[in-house]
Amino acid sequence: MVVQQMVDNVPQGQKFMVVGGMEHRKDDDAANGAAWQKVMQMMRERLGESVFQRWLAPLPATATAMQVTLNVPTRFMRDWIDQHYLDQMRALWQQVGGRGPLELSVTSSLRPATDVEVDAPASVVAPVAAAPVAATSSVSPSAPMSFTHDGAATLDPRFTFEHFVGGRSNELALAAARRVAEQSSPGFNPLFLYGGVGLGKTHLMHAIAWHLRKHHPERRVVYMSAEKFMYQFVRALRFKDTVAFKDQFRSVDVLMIDDVQFISGREHTQEEFFHTFNALVDQNRQVIVSADKSPQDLDKIDERLRSRLGWGLVADIHPTSADLRLNILQSKAKQANCVVPEKVLEFLAYKITNNVRELEGALNRIVAHAQLVGRAITPEMTQEVLADILRASDRRITIDEIQKRVAEHYNIRLTDMHSARRARVVARPRQVAMYLAKQLTPRSLPEIGRKFGGRDHTTVIHAVRKVEELASQDQSLRDDVELLRRMLQGQPN
Ligand code: ADP
Ligand code: MG
């Protein structure tokens, strides 16, 4: 059984590996390959030649007995295909008896979806992304079907330090990740990164791996999701091959396990992870772990493992501030080589606050729309294209309502929302109300200021920043704001 495989495109001598080998039978691969070709043929008939050629034909696929992976050159393309064609393709895949999942995988650095001008003429423009470059892929576009191991753990080429935007909320995690990437012997071991979904944990881990790959190609780096770790371990148990499973970690210099919350409750896997972990740390090898919670808050984790996880440096990533979101959007728009008006970026930064992944998804959608129908990106167009995402925040919440709710919540008089009193007991709730007004209504900063006793727009900006800053440090304020937001949006708690 092949347990360890080098990524095909890594030059000889570079020991960078993706763990995820699987044995497979060539005839099964071929059966899936044939099934896949049928799907492509059916999609060609459905979509018509020109659409098919533009979107699907250029994409290389990898078929194994276990799955088919469609390799796309950019995340933009992945999102596009996901939104428009993937369901259909999956249905056909089942219909023709394809075995295993049909997956999309990004396999090359982002080729701007946009050598195309945003306000290009009103014809359908083929994104440049349609000409894939399979830089990190094991398949080349000229050999559209090849049989290879699953590359589930390939690194996303966009997840580098250069593309990570720093801010208050992630500065510790970023500094720690850089330190780990740059120094040759582990300073803090393990590095434990945690934070909510879509806040950049995986991005930072990949960034460490890219950095090491570039500057220390001799060091052996393994990046794996905890899920994969678990899966491989269970497989090894089933095939009575745990020795090989363990062997693959023996000579690793840097081990990264992503989303370690996945192994909570799995005693066997935890035990194995614990041993692997101890062995590596004892040999002075760097271990980096991510999770959605701190070690203390992870449920169903063995006490020994929990305490061991907290031994090194625990770095958390807080929710983003509007400023950081704006910087990230600017950076992503630039990467995509696309000019998006500042007003639109600001609008998104204020409106889409959950996580960076959603923010990016929204930006991608606007850019894709602009390119395809040749429309300029404007605030109006943005609202239209993102109507479904924005609906939640567009329940016509009024500033009056916000002031009333917030005053009730903090038990202050409604008139204090307009008054000049500066005592903290009234000033803080007033700032919270301004913050919510900015988030939940389409009113401009000066309009909001006027509603709060004729204050200046800079006062509103200050309030928004202040509340974000405090919320990033103070759980109870964060809970207050979240509760108020939900009440105002009429969402269940
Ligand atoms: P997590 O692993 O924490 O759920 P990811 O690392 O997958 O989140 O990040 C989700 C998306 O948001 C990725 O596309 C990532 O590039 C982007 N992202 C998150 N934080 C940042 C940041 N500070 N700068 C740039 N991109 C970011
Ligand atoms: Mg992740």
Side-chain angles (χ1 to χ4, degrees):
M1 170 167 126
V2 190
V3 183
Q4 205 175 302
Q5 276 167 309
M6 309 299 251
V7 177
D8 304 37
N9 62 316
V10 176
Q12 285 290 319
Q14 279 197 18
K15 296 194 195 89
F16 188 86
M17 60 185 169
V18 170
V19 177
M22 59 170 72
E23 75 272 36
H24 55 262
R25 302 207 342 252
K26 276 250 156 27
D27 46 346
D28 287 343
D29 292 352
N32 254 357
W36 174 245
Q37 247 141 20
K38 272 191 213 152
V39 171
M40 289 300 265
Q41 187 49 38
M42 286 153 106
M43 287 304 285
R44 182 195 299 261
E45 282 157 21
R46 284 191 179 186
L47 298 175
E49 195 57 31
S50 74
V51 174
F52 178 79
Q53 285 301 338
R54 182 174 314 127
W55 292 105
L56 300 181
L59 303 178
T62 308
T64 70
M66 313 275 283
Q67 69 178 50
V68 162
T69 306
L70 187 55
N71 300 292
V72 293
T74 65
R75 289 157 61 79
F76 163 76
M77 279 286 274
R78 181 193 64 192
D79 292 345
W80 184 263
I81 289 182
D82 185 3
Q83 279 165 26
H84 294 84
Y85 308 120
L86 195 60
D87 285 348
Q88 289 184 59
M89 290 196 289
R90 287 207 166 121
L92 293 173
W93 178 240
Q94 293 221 313
Q95 202 179 312
V96 301
R99 288 174 52 181
L102 166 57
E103 301 292 354
L104 290 176
S105 162
V106 182
T107 55
S108 126
S109 57
L110 179 85
R111 290 266 301 198
T114 42
D115 288 359
V116 182
E117 286 297 332
V118 170
D119 41 10
S123 61
V124 176
V125 216
V128 174
V133 193
T136 64
S137 165
S138 51
V139 274
S140 78
S142 56
M145 189 74 67
S146 71
F147 307 120
T148 174
H149 69 279
D150 90 327
T154 37
L155 297 175
D156 190 311
R158 289 207 313 164
F159 289 3
T160 59
F161 283 123
E162 292 72 55
H163 288 158
F164 192 86
V165 183
R168 290 277 301 272
S169 55
N170 58 29
E171 64 183 346
L172 176 63
L174 175 57
R178 274 193 188 284
R179 176 76 68 82
V180 164
E182 281 160 12
Q183 70 192 0
S184 51
S185 71
F188 18 74
N189 214 1
L191 169 61
F192 188 101
L193 297 170
Y194 79 92
V197 281
L199 294 181
K201 301 181 295 294
T202 299
H203 188 137
L204 282 178
M205 290 180 122
H206 285 209
I208 294 170
W210 282 121
H211 184 96
L212 289 168
R213 185 174 179 177
K214 188 162 162 206
H215 299 279
H216 300 281
E218 76 290 352
R219 298 183 71 189
R220 297 168 63 108
V221 179
V222 169
Y223 165 87
M224 205 194 292
S225 69
E227 219 178 348
K228 190 111 190 168
F229 183 91
M230 193 174 78
Y231 168 77
Q232 290 211 338
F233 177 61
V234 171
R235 257 177 73 90
L237 284 180
R238 187 174 313 142
F239 293 102
K240 304 204 174 14
D241 207 1
T242 49
V243 175
F245 175 81
K246 286 176 186 161
D247 270 357
Q248 67 183 336
F249 296 106
R250 192 172 287 161
S251 53
V252 165
D253 291 303
V254 181
L255 172 67
M256 295 191 240
I257 301 284
D258 204 354
D259 286 320
V260 87
Q261 72 272 8
F262 273 115
I263 64 171
S264 73
R266 326 262 174 168
E267 280 171 33
H268 254 44
T269 317
Q270 279 189 38
E271 185 75 10
E272 195 47 48
F273 178 59
F274 185 64
H275 290 314
T276 306
F277 180 94
N278 282 341
L280 290 173
V281 172
D282 289 348
Q283 291 167 48
N284 213 21
R285 312 289 167 84
Q286 181 73 53
V287 179
I288 305 162
V289 170
S290 86
D292 63 351
K293 298 191 194 69
S294 72
Q296 292 79 31
D297 291 336
L298 282 174
D299 298 329
K300 299 191 188 146
I301 287 268
D302 178 83
E303 261 327 299
R304 291 172 310 159
L305 179 56
R306 186 200 306 284
S307 96
R308 191 87 211 233
L309 285 172
W311 269 18
L313 180 72
V314 177
D316 53 346
I317 308 185
H318 295 287
T320 51
S321 67
D323 281 346
L324 177 59
R325 288 194 294 277
L326 187 58
N327 289 341
I328 290 175
L329 284 167
Q330 279 160 346
S331 153
K332 304 265 175 197
K334 201 163 140 227
Q335 266 176 66
N337 227 343
C338 185
V339 185
V340 181
E342 194 66 15
K343 251 172 135 178
V344 168
L345 297 182
E346 269 174 27
F347 176 78
L348 294 177
Y350 275 110
K351 283 288 185 182
I352 302 175
T353 57
N354 269 354
N355 67 51
V356 183
R357 190 174 297 137
E358 270 178 33
L359 196 63
E360 222 181 324
L363 181 65
N364 282 345
R365 220 153 108 182
I366 305 171
V367 170
H369 189 87
Q371 287 172 3
L372 285 168
V373 303
R375 252 174 98 179
I377 298 179
T378 63
E380 292 71 36
M381 175 269 208
T382 303
Q383 266 174 323
E384 219 176 286
V385 174
L386 300 180
D388 54 338
I389 301 178
L390 298 172
R391 203 171 300 136
S393 45
D394 270 356
R395 269 178 233 276
R396 301 265 159 99
I397 299 166
T398 63
I399 294 181
D400 292 335
E401 213 179 320
I402 293 173
Q403 292 177 331
K404 189 163 157 285
R405 280 282 193 186
V406 175
E408 276 167 12
H409 182 77
Y410 287 101
N411 216 359
I412 62 170
R413 288 194 310 260
L414 184 56
T415 50
D416 279 330
M417 288 288 163
H418 317 277
S419 77
R421 278 184 68 199
R422 284 160 169 246
R424 169 143 338 148
V425 282
V426 297
R428 189 73 80 228
R430 197 188 290 133
Q431 287 177 328
V432 168
M434 288 186 202
Y435 169 82
L436 288 167
K438 182 65 210 161
Q439 271 216 338
L440 303 177
T441 75
R443 303 279 155 246
S444 67
L445 295 167
E447 281 173 310
I448 295 173
R450 273 200 293 281
K451 290 289 257 174
F452 284 82
R455 287 179 157 78
D456 192 68
H457 75 279
T458 53
T459 310
V460 184
I461 297 178
H462 175 73
V464 170
R465 296 216 171 118
K466 188 79 196 167
V467 171
E468 277 174 347
E469 186 189 320
L470 292 171
S472 75
Q473 300 150 8
D474 176 355
Q475 178 76 40
S476 76
L477 180 68
R478 196 150 66 229
D479 291 345
D480 279 350
V481 171
E482 189 53 22
L483 178 72
L484 283 161
R485 192 180 64 76
R486 288 220 183 100
M487 287 197 306
L488 286 158
Q489 290 181 331
Q491 288 171 7
N493 291 314

